[in-house]
Amino acid sequence: MVATQPTVVNMSKNKEYTSDSIKVLDDIAHIRLRPGLYVGGANSTGHFIILKEIIDNSIDEAIGGHASRIDVTISDDCRSAEVFDNGRGIPHDKHPKTGISTLATVFGTAKSGGKFDNDTYGTSVGTHGVGSTATNALSSVFYAESYRGRKTASVQFQRGKMLGKDAKIADSTTKEKHGTLVRFTPDYEQVFKGVPGFSIAQIEERLSDAAHLLPKTQISIVHGGTKRTLPSAGVRGILQDPNAYCIDFDFQVDVGGEEKTANLSVAWTWGTESRNVSLVNLSRTSDGGQHASGWEGALTEFLLERCKSKCSSKEITDTLQYALHVSHPNPQFSSQTKEKLINKGLSKAISDAAAQHLKSWARKNASAVDAFLANAILLYEQRQAQKDLKAALKDLKTTRRN
């Protein structure tokens, strides 16, 4: 058989490569063309994230002590949402760079927002200034109101394009003296074509995390004519174990060559299997990261030292269950969707700081620690015995063959 060379088809051979071939997209057009870069895709993940981005803005207001109430309303068909917080409200005045109101700028321009200014938000989950604009761009209808003083500013978009030249400002007709309301419908016709709607369970999980960690903020979900205010029980509430061990401490992190204070709060126990939840500034990091590895490493090293090489890390972590929250002044994530925390050096900073607190915990819970280590040592011995038995049986089979 004579080998043949593969045929290379030049799809552009009849098209001249000129400056016209280079496309320059505005922010909105690029987000709509490549939603995966901004919200994880035109799928159920991205569909939830565009709501989460708006919720996160309200949560950031609460973290800063500006909002005492957050209400999230989901339509009966689960295909549109409204988020309200009684925070400061987005400014109404003209933005110096865009020449339009700050309200319209925040939702219509990528890489805009207050999260770049540490004086505006000392700690926040939003860091890239893209999320709200992405929600707007990927919605068929997007509407926002901001209440400041006795004035209400409102702006409306369709598929990311503003209706009118700027936000409208009028005397307030609402009882709310300050705050922000956002109402939107995802673009099911052109973007989220196969997504049926929002998952109430997924939204409730997000809001429940925030409610547990923000005891001074009333957080409610409204759906099907029913309003439910979510309980607050700290990290133990997230772990869903009121009897879990818990420690909370501040530690120092480097932010641009300057030392800043961060905080870790963790609840843990041991069950029948491994389970963990990690959060940064009240947002879950599904892939963990530096904060999770730092905590697990600290606890494992601490207990391994006390079992005196009679057990391994496997016996400690196989059934470890924990909920971990880190409050950080400058979190760095692996992507816009914030699945993994990647701040360099954070793992060691947490591990070093946790060591002293674990010593105090062990003194107060000496009998429980001794009981756990005794069980870990026993499990280790059983596993080693099983390995030895398998090895002996394998040697026996080999001997019989020979």
Side-chain angles (χ1 to χ4, degrees):
M1 180 179 291
V2 179
T4 58
Q5 295 296 322
T7 302
V8 178
V9 180
N10 185 356
M11 301 300 291
S12 61
K13 64 181 180 180
N14 295 322
K15 183 178 180 181
E16 187 178 356
Y17 184 55
T18 67
S19 59
D20 291 336
S21 305
I22 308 301
K23 304 300 180 185
V24 179
L25 302 179
D26 62 28
D27 293 335
I28 299 300
H30 194 264
I31 292 169
R32 289 181 65 82
L33 181 66
R34 297 284 186 265
L37 296 176
Y38 299 91
V39 299
N43 48 28
S44 58
T45 297
H47 182 262
F48 170 67
I49 285 177
I50 66 171
L51 172 57
K52 179 180 177 293
E53 293 287 0
I54 303 302
I55 292 173
D56 284 352
N57 287 343
S58 294
I59 288 174
D60 283 341
E61 283 291 286
I63 292 174
H66 308 296
S68 61
R69 183 176 132 230
I70 298 172
D71 296 330
V72 177
T73 302
I74 306 300
S75 63
D76 289 349
D77 64 359
C78 295
R79 290 171 72 86
S80 61
E82 178 181 289
V83 180
F84 167 80
D85 70 72
N86 66 345
R88 291 167 293 182
I90 297 171
H92 300 173
D93 53 337
K94 299 284 185 183
H95 192 275
K97 286 196 174 181
T98 63
I100 59 175
S101 68
T102 303
L103 178 66
T105 298
V106 164
F107 294 113
T109 307
K111 300 181 179 66
S112 63
K115 314 299 172 61
F116 303 111
D117 179 2
N118 286 335
D119 293 331
T120 304
Y121 287 93
T123 300
S124 70
V125 65
T127 57
H128 301 89
V130 175
S132 296
T133 307
T135 302
N136 177 20
L138 300 173
S139 297
S140 56
V141 178
F142 185 99
Y143 174 81
E145 284 184 354
S146 170
Y147 317 118
R148 288 173 72 90
R150 297 182 179 180
K151 297 290 184 180
T152 297
S154 62
V155 63
Q156 187 166 348
F157 300 81
Q158 285 186 352
R159 295 192 167 97
K161 301 298 182 181
M162 184 165 55
L163 302 183
K165 295 182 179 180
D166 202 349
K168 297 178 181 179
I169 301 176
D171 292 337
S172 276
T173 58
T174 176
K175 64 179 181 179
E176 305 295 347
K177 295 182 179 179
H178 48 84
T180 304
L181 179 146
V182 172
R183 183 185 305 125
F184 69 96
T185 300
D187 191 345
Y188 294 104
E189 293 182 5
Q190 297 181 11
V191 182
F192 302 106
K193 298 177 183 179
V195 181
F198 291 111
S199 163
I200 298 300
Q202 193 174 28
I203 296 166
E204 186 169 338
E205 178 183 80
R206 174 70 189 106
L207 295 177
S208 180
D209 287 345
H212 283 308
L213 297 170
L214 291 170
K216 295 182 180 180
T217 304
Q218 177 183 294
I219 299 179
S220 301
I221 182 169
V222 183
H223 176 64
T226 302
K227 180 177 181 177
R228 290 184 296 112
T229 299
L230 301 172
S232 181
V235 284
R236 285 191 177 103
I238 296 174
L239 187 60
Q240 299 179 357
D241 186 343
N243 299 313
Y245 304 113
C246 186
I247 58 174
D248 184 286
F249 58 88
D250 291 340
F251 61 100
Q252 299 301 302
V253 294
D254 179 80
V255 178
E258 183 180 356
E259 277 204 345
K260 298 279 187 177
T261 299
N263 174 270
L264 179 142
S265 183
V266 59
W268 78 98
T269 187
W270 284 272
T272 57
E273 61 184 1
S274 176
R275 177 171 62 90
N276 65 76
V277 179
S278 63
L279 304 94
V280 180
N281 297 353
L282 282 81
S283 183
R284 289 201 182 197
T285 44
S286 58
D287 292 338
Q290 290 277 308
H291 54 329
S293 62
W295 159 248
E296 283 194 35
L299 181 63
T300 301
E301 183 177 351
F302 179 82
L303 293 175
L304 278 177
E305 185 179 333
R306 277 151 185 77
C307 78
K308 303 184 185 305
S309 302
K310 295 178 181 178
C311 70
S312 70
S313 60
K314 184 175 177 62
E315 285 71 50
I316 295 171
T317 59
D318 266 6
T319 57
L320 176 63
Q321 301 180 351
Y322 67 85
L324 166 75
H325 177 248
V326 167
S327 177
H328 197 288
N330 187 33
Q332 303 294 317
F333 299 98
S334 58
S335 68
Q336 166 64 20
T337 49
K338 307 178 181 78
E339 287 97 347
K340 187 174 184 178
L341 187 67
I342 59 172
N343 289 68
K344 186 177 179 180
L346 181 60
S347 178
K348 187 177 187 306
I350 288 176
S351 181
D352 290 347
Q356 293 301 317
H357 296 278
L358 284 169
K359 288 180 182 178
S360 176
W361 161 74
R363 285 194 298 269
K364 294 176 183 177
N365 299 274
S367 59
V369 173
D370 289 343
F372 170 75
L373 289 176
N375 185 68
I377 291 169
L378 177 62
L379 183 58
Y380 176 77
E381 290 172 347
Q382 290 173 344
R383 285 174 170 169
Q384 288 300 115
Q386 289 175 350
K387 286 182 180 179
D388 292 343
L389 179 60
K390 287 182 180 179
L393 290 173
K394 185 177 181 181
D395 289 343
L396 181 61
K397 289 180 180 179
T398 302
T399 302
R400 286 178 175 177
R401 288 197 196 101
N402 295 334

